Each structure stands twice: as C-alpha cells, then as structure tokens.
Amino acid sequence: MIVVMKSHASEADIQAVIRMVEDLEYSAHVIRGVERTVVACVGEERGEAHSLQHLESVSGVERVMPVLRSFKLASREVRPEGSRIIVGGVEIGGPRITVIAGPCAVESDTQVNGAADGVKSAGAHLLRGGAYKPRTSPYTFQGMEDEGLVLLENAGRRVGLPVVTEIMDAHDIELVAEHADMLQVGARNAQNFSLLRRLGKIKKPVLLKRGMATKIEEFLMAAEYILSAGNPNVVLCERGIRTFETATRNTLDLNAVPLLKEWTHLPVLVDPSHGTGVWSLVTPMALASIAAGADGLLIEVHPDPLKALSDGPQQLKPKRFAALMAALKPVALAVGRTL
Ligand code: PEP
Ligand code: MN
C-alpha cells in the first residue's frame, strides 16, 4: 500500500504517518517527490486489525491505495516523476544522457589510463572497468582484483571521472565501496538475492544489470531487493538476453527500455557492448537505445581491443568511441535530451 500525502502536508504529519505505519508492523519508505511525498508501506498484509486504510482520515493524508504490481518501491506509482541518482556528482536520470565508458577489465596501469584519457576527451561522464571479472571459464583472466580497484580509482581521479566497477562477492562490498563511486551487479549475479540484500544496506549507487534469462518483472523484483533493504540509489541496465540467435552474443532487448520507463521510476541504461558482442554493432544500437528512451549508455572502450584480455571483439577503440559520442548528440536532441 502507499499513503499519498497532501501537497501541503507538514513534516510532522509525515512523521506521524510513519509512526502509525510502523506500529501496524509495516516498514515505511518515504519517497519525497517534487509535488508530494508518498509513504510506501512494505510488509505482509495481515487482515483488518492491521489495515492501513484508516490512515486516510489522518491529518495530511490524501489517500491510501494499493500498489498493484509485484514490485512496489520500484514502481512508477510511488514516484511518477522518475528518480535521479547522483554518482560522484554526476546525475543519472535527468534530462542529460549519461555515458559510462571504459574497458571491460582493468588490465594494467597503462591500459586503464589510456582508456580513461580516451573516454574523458570524448565526453564520457563516468569511467568503468572490471577488477573482479565473472568469467565463464576459470582458466581465463579473472581480473586484477584489489590492485585493479586502485588503478581504476587513480585513473578516474586523474581525469576527473567517477568510477564504476563490478561487485561479485558480498564480502568485498566495503572494500569496493571505498574505491568506487558506483557498484555494478553483473548479469550473472542479477538474482543473487543475498548480494542484492547486502547492497541495500549501503548508500552507494548500484548499477543493476539484467540477467541473461531474467524477465522484465524479475529484473524489477531484483531491484526491489536493494530498494526494500534501504538503498534507493539503483540504476537499471539492459544488456541483452540469451535467445536462439547466435549471430550476435546476446539479443539486445530494446522493448525493455520503454516498458521499464512505463513501469518504474528508476533510470534505465543500455549496454550495447554486451548486448551485441560485436564492435561494429555498438554505435547503431547505442543510437537506437537513446531513441527508445534510455537515460544513458554503458560502452566498453579499450586502447587496443585486439590485445584485450576479455571481451575484445566488442570493445571500441577510443577514436570510434569519440565518433559514437558525436553521432549521439543529434539523436539525444531529437528525443528532447542533451548530452
Ligand atoms: C561487464 O560489464 O563487463 C560484464 C561482465 O557485463 P555482464 O554482467 O552484463 O555480462
Ligand atoms: Mn565485458
């Protein structure tokens, strides 16, 4: 259920409602919108004695209504205007398209700094790079781990970009959060519920990727795990799903973009690098993603893709990334966004 407060409700009214909701043994999540505040009540419905409906007569309350979808805090019903998430000073979900770019994996000081220079000069807003890599084979490069985290942090700091990196193991959350501005949950951990719950206990923004066989509703339920545990800073990322098609690495599901924008207030990014697996398809699908309403992109960029230790075939050279950014501008403007 959600308790929609009147637009002129006072802070005391809101606090009183929170106390009443908690007395009824629900957890209260306050969502402060531009127009009005909503108190989302999460918990099992336990019959008449615990009914929230009578809060409708409480001072400052406009109405009490059920959230019909299975995801509650992620639902656009609780925040019609859309969330804006701040990552190291960069806003995601506002009018400006946000571009996260950098190598698949941090491989060396020279490599990550080369990528950082390239993406910064082309106009990216955040630098990415994996330090802990979720590889299909245990015999391939697994990432530089703790050392990679520090290299990424230093490269980002040097060029003035906040950094995003993948978190694989809940035990590493504290360490990774110390070095990174945003923690990425990869496709392979998209339904690792204990990891998601633990990420709900921190305030650092989380970039949640869609699992390769995760339905859109399940994707939003995964976000709900983080939100309901207390972290409102979640950004979604469509990165392709596995289908019968093998000509591309994954099938980028662009249907998901406008559908997610209808169903949720969370910002939606698209990763056409993993979505296609083919560098020559990255720019066209990046443009299509923005045309479809995405709030931004995640693009893999490597100074020398032929020598990449992971995902070489889909990484762009810095020069091609700069061309992508130039091509993006008119598309962003055409859909009422800026870059
Ligand atoms: C990545 O971003 O490098 C990555 C491993 O992505 P995904 O989890 O989407 O496969
Ligand atoms: Mn990758």
Side-chain angles (χ1 to χ4, degrees), residues 128-261:
R128 67 149 279 152
Y132 307 91
K133 293 304 299 177
R135 304 305 303 283
T136 301
S137 163
Y139 306 122
T140 56
F141 175 61
Q142 303 289 303
M144 291 182 76
E145 305 188 335
D146 305 11
E147 198 188 341
L149 269 185
V150 176
L151 294 181
L152 178 71
E153 181 185 23
N154 290 340
R157 201 173 281 161
R158 187 180 60 78
V159 298
L161 294 180
V163 301
V164 185
T165 199
E166 180 159 350
I167 178 81
M168 294 222 310
D169 187 324
H171 293 109
D172 297 326
I173 290 177
E174 214 173 304
L175 176 72
V176 176
E178 241 172 66
H179 295 282
D181 299 285
M182 183 179 223
L183 277 56
Q184 173 176 320
V185 176
R188 290 156 191 81
N189 268 319
Q191 288 184 300
N192 179 340
F193 300 119
S194 61
L195 176 63
L196 298 175
R197 244 191 237 110
R198 291 279 297 275
L199 289 166
K201 298 288 176 214
I202 61 170
K203 287 286 174 270
K204 272 272 156 93
V206 175
L207 179 62
L208 177 63
K209 292 187 122 189
R210 182 178 180 182
M212 56 187 94
T214 308
K215 299 204 291 179
I216 292 169
E217 185 176 1
E218 292 165 338
F219 186 16
L220 288 169
M221 292 307 280
E224 192 79 12
Y225 267 90
I226 305 173
L227 300 171
S228 64
N231 186 351
N233 302 311
V234 178
V235 174
L236 304 172
C237 182
E238 161 62 39
R239 50 75 72 200
I241 50 175
R242 186 164 282 183
T243 68
F244 58 82
E245 182 57 75
T246 54
T248 51
R249 182 178 180 185
N250 289 295
T251 296
L252 188 63
D253 180 14
L254 286 189
N255 291 352
V257 175
L259 192 62
L260 283 166
K261 294 299 291 179

Side-chain angles (χ1 to χ4, degrees), residues 7-27:
S7 54
H8 61 263
S10 68
E11 190 54 37
D13 289 337
I14 296 168
Q15 293 306 324
V17 166
I18 293 171
R19 273 195 303 279
M20 286 182 237
V21 168
E22 288 175 348
D23 283 348
L24 290 167
E25 292 170 33
Y26 295 90
S27 68

Side-chain angles (χ1 to χ4, degrees), residues 22-44:
E22 288 175 348
D23 283 348
L24 290 167
E25 292 170 33
Y26 295 90
S27 68
H29 296 257
V30 183
I31 295 144
R32 294 176 196 273
V34 180
E35 291 279 310
R36 60 191 68 225
T37 295
V38 165
V39 180
C41 315
V42 180
E44 251 174 80

Side-chain angles (χ1 to χ4, degrees), residues 2 9 51 116 263:
I2 54 175
S51 170
W263 285 2

